[in-house]
């Protein structure tokens, strides 16, 4: 027997939760109060309402009830475990991962009296480490369940580890949390976005994953102050008076700055957990207080000049807040203008500019003459990182990217992308650890990010480490931008001519919306709302409410900025 199944109770719960998500929290105790948008941990205020098994339920109702209840992690999935035999309730590991599907496409199939199968169409998945993947195959997957009777009632004796969750309630049952690591110079905090079930022990999951280390794709580009072999003992992180108590054992240095960096990693990574304001580390039983860092504190997403860098009427510089004039940049604007630039990227403090001209890619450094770096055909607008290294790529070969350092050294890094594709746009994160690219293929555009492995001590690119595929869109690739430490955007022209803007958290979900007509370039600012899009006609648009509003006109190009 095959059927598409949805219990009436589940529909009602789903509708109520979706209507409330993002506009108010759901109190589980106390009086009636005005709700506010909650940030961080919501395990107390927001929960998927789950019901236990009803006496006399059929095997199909037990299986479907279990799946519904597994969306609620409260009390270590206490309600979901009621659908299991006592023995399997001890064996089932909900944290083994998650398959995210669409409930409307979910089908329940009876194999025999004791066996049922769910056929699901996945839209995303979570690994056991909380890494989100929305590029999973859409091919149907099968999940098998075996049942037996316990005291005359059907219970599940075998089921897949992990959970199956409907995408409409995924971000109610789970929340994203940035785990923080460092760039190799220990100057910046680098987010590694993970997803964990909303429950009372989220802080324990975060600490365990920090001890395990960064995601595989990110690891070549970052480092951790937390030494290998450090263990959480006991294996939980209690919270007392809004302070997370973290007890660790293992070999660790007594260097004060290293201990401060370790503590800062835990503080920042637990900062999104509701109810936690500070952390207290106890290492090998020692209860000494670690003073906060006061000097050389690693930064998260260094700020850029809030003014947009533009080229208009032969002048290169900062567009005034009134959008009436361009303020030229001392030491670089004249040299940039002499190249008759087509596009550019501005380095740290505005003292160096990577320029795309008809003759190729150039570097302009304050006080120096412009230098031609790359004469290849089909160049994308060059990127520049915080070390002053210029990155170039072409629309002919996506499998290699060139770099050019201030000391005159240069090289080619191989990439994980196909040779027959082309790179339409690229940008380096402000912490210098990740390279964002928009690839043009025969099938459309593919947004991807890769970690940058650098040679020790000299900060020169050594290789591209792991890669993370993001959103694919049909159409013609235009541009990419970093909008924040873990938020990126891509600009694509759809086959019907519409402008498509995709905003995505690296390691998280994406949002697709329409952009201004004929959009061709996108740059970021200091917040996601500061993204600006330039059209083919020279209009500079910024989002206002749900629409795009023209802020300036007559602009030839806009330039990205490093912090």
């Amino acid at each position: 027997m095959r059927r598409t199944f949805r219990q009436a109770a589940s529909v009602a719960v789903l509708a109520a939760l979706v209507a409330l998500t993002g506009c108010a929290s759901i109190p589980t105790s106390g009086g009636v109060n005005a709700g506010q948008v909650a940030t961080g941990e919501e395990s107390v205020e927001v929960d998927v309402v789950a019901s236990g098994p009803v006496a006399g339920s059929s095997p199909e109702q037990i299986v479907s009830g279990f799946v519904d209840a597994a969306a609620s992690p409260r009390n270590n999935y206490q309600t979901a475990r009621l659908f299991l035999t006592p023995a399997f309730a001890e064996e089932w590991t909900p944290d083994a991962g998650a398959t995210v599907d669409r409930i409307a496409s979910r089908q329940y199939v009876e194999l025999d009296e004791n066996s049922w199968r769910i056929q699901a169409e996945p839209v995303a998945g979570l690994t056991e480490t909380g890494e989100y993947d929305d590029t999973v195959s859409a091919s149907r997957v099968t999940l098998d369940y075996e049942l037996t009777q316990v005291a005359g009632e059907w219970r599940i004796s075998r089921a897949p580890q992990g959970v199956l969750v409907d995408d409409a309630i995924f971000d109610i049952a789970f929340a994203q949390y940035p785990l923080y690591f460092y760039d190799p110079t220990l100057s910046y905090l680098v987010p590694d976005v993970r997803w964990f079930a909303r429950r009372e022990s989220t802080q324990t999951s975060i600490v365990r994953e920090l001890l395990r280390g960064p995601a595989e794709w990110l690891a070549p580009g970052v480092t951790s102050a937390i030494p290998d072999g450090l263990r959480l003992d006991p294996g939980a992180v209690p919270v007392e008076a809004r302070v997370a108590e973290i007890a660790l054992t293992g070999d660790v240095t007594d260097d004060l700055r290293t201990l401060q960096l370790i503590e800062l990693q835990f503080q920042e990574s637990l900062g999104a957990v509701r109810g936690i304001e500070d952390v207290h580390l106890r290492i090998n039983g020692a209860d000494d207080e670690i003073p906060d860092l006061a000097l050389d504190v690693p930064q998260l997403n260094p700020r850029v000049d809030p003014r947009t860098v533009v080229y208009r009427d032969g002048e290169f510089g900062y567009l005034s807040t009134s959008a009436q004039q361009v303020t030229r940049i001392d030491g670089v604007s004249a040299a940039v203008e002499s190249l008759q630039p087509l596009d550019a990227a501005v380095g740290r403090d505005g003292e160096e500019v990577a320029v795309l001209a008809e003759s190729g890619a150039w570097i302009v450094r304050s006080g120096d003459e412009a230098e031609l770096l790359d004469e290849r055909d089909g160049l994308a607008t060059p990127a520049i990182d915080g070390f002053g290294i210029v990155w170039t790529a072409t629309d002919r070969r996506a499998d290699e990217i060139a770099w050019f350092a201030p000391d005159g050294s240069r090289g080619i890094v191989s990439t994980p992308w196909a040779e027959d594709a082309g790179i339409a746009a690229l940008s380096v994160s402000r912490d210098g650890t990740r390279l964002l690219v928009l690839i043009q293929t025969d099938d459309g555009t593919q947004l991807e990010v890769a970690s940058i492995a650098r040679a020790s001590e000299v900060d020169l690119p050594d290789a591209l480490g792991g890669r993370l595929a993001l959103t694919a869109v049909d159409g013609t690739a235009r541009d990419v931008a970093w909008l924040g430490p873990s938020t990126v955007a891509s600009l694509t022209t759809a086959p019907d001519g519409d402008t498509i803007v995709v905003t995505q958290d690296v390691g998280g979900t994406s949002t697709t919306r329409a952009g201004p007509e004929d959009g061709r370039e996108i740059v970021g600012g200091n917040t996601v709302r500061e993204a600006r899009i330039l059209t083919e006609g020279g209009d500079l648009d910024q989002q206002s409410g749900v629409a795009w509003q023209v802020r300036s006109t007559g602009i030839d190009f806009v330039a990205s900025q490093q912090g």
Side-chain angles (χ1 to χ4, degrees):
M1 179 174 59
R2 180 190 301 264
R3 69 181 70 174
T4 299
F5 186 87
R6 184 188 295 194
Q7 290 181 307
S10 298
V11 177
V13 170
L14 177 61
L17 289 171
V18 171
L20 287 166
T21 302
C23 62
S25 57
I26 305 173
T28 57
S29 62
V32 178
N33 299 286
Q36 295 180 342
V37 176
T39 59
E41 177 75 54
E42 295 182 339
S43 61
V44 176
E45 290 81 3
V46 174
D47 191 17
V48 177
V49 180
S51 300
V54 176
S57 294
S58 67
E60 181 180 12
Q61 290 171 326
I62 291 296
V63 172
S64 62
F66 167 69
V67 172
D68 289 344
S72 173
R74 181 177 289 275
N75 297 324
N76 193 23
Y77 294 85
Q78 181 181 53
T79 303
R81 293 181 193 275
L82 297 176
F83 291 85
L84 311 178
T85 64
F88 187 63
E90 295 292 326
E91 298 175 14
W92 179 56
T93 307
D95 294 334
T99 297
V100 186
D101 76 330
R102 292 189 176 92
I103 196 170
S105 301
R106 192 181 295 170
Q107 294 181 331
Y108 288 72
V109 182
E110 183 180 20
L111 302 179
D112 56 48
E113 184 183 26
N114 296 349
S115 303
W116 279 78
R117 170 175 293 167
I118 295 178
Q119 293 183 332
E121 292 183 3
V123 297
L126 282 186
T127 68
E128 65 176 354
T129 60
E131 296 171 56
Y132 182 87
D133 181 12
D134 64 355
T135 63
V136 298
S137 170
S139 300
R140 296 184 73 84
V141 297
T142 59
L143 306 169
D144 290 339
Y145 300 79
E146 291 184 2
L147 299 95
T148 189
Q149 288 199 342
V150 177
E153 298 290 345
W154 288 106
R155 294 294 183 264
I156 297 170
S157 58
R158 187 178 69 85
Q161 299 293 350
V163 299
L164 175 66
V165 59
D166 173 26
D167 68 336
I169 60 171
F170 170 72
D171 59 358
I172 300 173
F174 291 82
Q176 69 177 44
Y177 300 88
L179 276 59
Y180 286 102
F181 298 93
Y182 295 108
D183 78 298
T185 69
L186 301 177
S187 301
Y188 301 104
L189 288 156
V190 183
D192 180 0
V193 173
R194 307 291 182 91
W195 291 78
F196 301 111
R198 298 182 189 267
R199 56 178 169 174
E200 298 84 349
S201 60
T202 298
Q203 67 274 4
T204 300
S205 299
I206 291 173
V207 170
R208 286 174 177 166
E209 291 307 320
L210 275 174
L211 294 173
R212 184 178 295 189
E216 183 177 357
W217 76 268
L218 181 62
V222 299
T223 188
S224 178
I226 303 169
D228 293 338
L230 209 57
R231 302 181 307 280
L232 184 63
D233 186 16
V237 180
V239 179
E240 300 179 7
R242 308 183 77 83
V243 176
E245 301 286 343
I246 305 173
L248 303 170
T249 60
D251 293 334
V252 66
T253 179
D254 58 0
D255 176 72
L256 177 58
R257 179 167 176 81
T258 300
L259 292 173
Q260 290 172 321
L261 290 170
I262 292 172
E263 185 176 66
L264 182 63
Q265 265 188 272
F266 287 116
Q267 286 175 335
E268 294 296 331
S269 299
L270 293 173
V273 180
R274 192 179 185 88
I276 295 179
E277 295 180 354
D278 202 356
V279 302
H280 176 227
L281 291 186
R282 183 180 293 108
I283 302 178
N284 294 323
D287 204 22
D288 297 334
E289 291 291 333
I290 301 173
D292 291 339
L293 280 168
L295 300 174
D296 300 323
V297 180
Q299 293 179 281
L300 175 63
N301 196 39
R303 293 179 61 83
V304 300
D305 194 300
R307 297 170 295 176
T308 309
V309 179
V310 303
Y311 183 64
R312 185 175 72 180
D313 297 331
E315 290 187 315
F316 179 80
Y318 296 109
L319 185 66
S320 66
T321 54
S322 64
Q324 299 301 310
Q325 62 184 27
V326 175
T327 301
R328 300 170 77 246
I329 305 173
D330 291 342
V332 297
S333 283
V336 171
E337 293 158 4
S338 69
L339 296 173
Q340 299 181 345
L342 302 174
D343 212 337
V346 180
R348 185 172 297 172
D349 299 324
E351 295 186 352
E352 48 199 1
V353 182
V355 179
L356 179 66
E358 289 285 357
S359 51
W362 296 71
I363 182 63
V364 172
R365 304 189 194 277
S366 182
D368 295 337
E369 293 186 1
E371 178 186 357
L372 179 61
L373 301 177
D374 193 337
E375 298 180 79
R376 289 180 293 171
D377 293 332
L379 286 170
T381 302
I384 189 168
D385 64 25
F387 301 105
I389 296 171
V390 177
W391 299 72
T392 62
T394 76
D395 60 5
R396 313 288 174 84
R397 293 283 300 269
D399 63 330
E400 61 181 28
I401 293 176
W403 58 266
F404 306 84
D407 65 0
S409 58
R410 58 186 61 195
I412 297 286
V413 292
S414 60
T415 78
W417 304 301
E419 176 183 345
D420 58 355
I423 295 178
L426 70 166
S427 182
V428 180
S429 60
R430 295 173 192 171
D431 51 43
T433 62
R434 294 155 293 165
L435 178 68
L436 178 70
V437 298
L438 187 60
I439 300 171
Q440 183 71 61
T441 70
D442 292 339
D443 297 325
T445 71
Q446 176 66 54
L447 183 63
E448 300 213 6
V449 64
S451 60
I452 300 172
R454 297 182 187 266
S456 59
E457 299 182 0
V458 292
D459 304 323
L460 299 179
D462 189 39
L464 290 185
R467 58 181 279 214
L468 183 66
L470 303 176
T471 302
V473 179
D474 291 338
T476 302
R478 296 299 183 191
D479 204 5
V480 294
W482 287 91
L483 305 185
S486 61
T487 307
V488 298
S490 67
L491 197 65
T492 299
T493 300
D496 62 4
D498 289 344
T499 299
I500 299 174
V501 182
V502 176
T503 303
Q504 180 158 15
D505 287 332
V506 176
T509 57
S510 63
T511 301
T512 301
R513 67 185 190 276
E517 185 176 355
D518 294 328
R520 65 179 176 90
E521 287 190 292
I522 184 169
V523 293
N526 294 306
T527 68
V528 173
R529 299 290 298 181
E530 291 179 21
R532 285 141 288 180
I533 293 178
L534 182 67
T535 70
E536 294 286 359
D539 293 341
L540 183 63
D541 288 44
Q542 187 169 351
Q543 195 168 14
S544 177
V546 297
W548 293 90
Q549 186 176 28
V550 177
R551 300 294 190 184
S552 184
T553 59
I555 293 174
D556 296 293
F557 66 76
V558 292
S560 64
Q561 299 182 65
Q562 279 291 337

